[in-house]
Amino acid sequence: MTEKEARKTKRSLRVDEGLIERLEETVRKLGIEVRYDQIHKAGYSGGLCRVKKSWVLIISRASMPLERAELLAEAILTRDTSTMYLSPDVREVLDWVADRRKKDAVT
């Protein structure tokens, strides 16, 4: 890993409402419904599930912006986005989440 890559993986991700909206829009374009609901399970902020014949991403209303961004990015990463335009900040989130997945798989 280069020094630049190491710095990139160490830094935290900045998440604002505009970024959340762009991630939500991308998820919806991929045919996934986004729902914000109250979740009563401690330590659980949501996830992707199948309801009848539709895919739904359920996100806790109480989740923090970074958790929301991660859940939205996880949903996007389940689909092929190679033919879609993704803004640089959305790509950055996807890369950040993918890097975290790799780290979690190693440990």
Side-chain angles (χ1 to χ4, degrees):
M1 178 183 295
T2 67
E3 183 179 332
K4 184 178 178 182
E5 290 171 330
R7 277 195 310 254
K8 183 178 178 182
T9 58
K10 285 183 183 178
R11 76 166 195 261
S12 63
L13 189 65
R14 291 182 185 224
V15 178
D16 61 28
E17 192 58 38
L19 177 57
I20 296 292
E21 288 173 6
R22 286 186 291 284
L23 288 164
E24 287 174 350
E25 179 183 342
T26 303
V27 169
R28 288 186 180 107
K29 284 181 181 177
L30 292 167
I32 301 169
E33 180 184 346
V34 179
R35 289 185 195 168
Y36 287 91
D37 286 321
Q38 188 171 354
I39 297 176
H40 299 286
K41 186 175 179 182
Y44 185 72
S45 54
L48 186 63
C49 62
R50 191 149 175 110
V51 178
K52 296 186 182 180
K53 294 183 179 183
S54 301
W55 284 99
V56 179
L57 176 62
I58 300 172
I59 302 174
S60 172
R61 289 183 187 150
S63 63
M64 301 300 290
L66 181 58
E67 292 174 309
R68 291 177 185 199
E70 287 183 83
L71 287 166
L72 290 159
E74 289 284 350
I76 294 167
L77 289 169
T78 66
R79 303 295 193 265
D80 178 14
T81 58
S82 61
T83 60
M84 290 180 70
Y85 170 77
L86 299 173
S87 65
D89 58 348
V90 168
R91 285 197 183 278
E92 182 180 6
V93 174
L94 297 178
D95 291 343
W96 187 80
V97 169
D99 286 345
R100 289 194 54 184
R101 276 184 177 178
K102 289 177 191 173
K103 286 181 190 174
D104 290 345
V106 172
T107 57

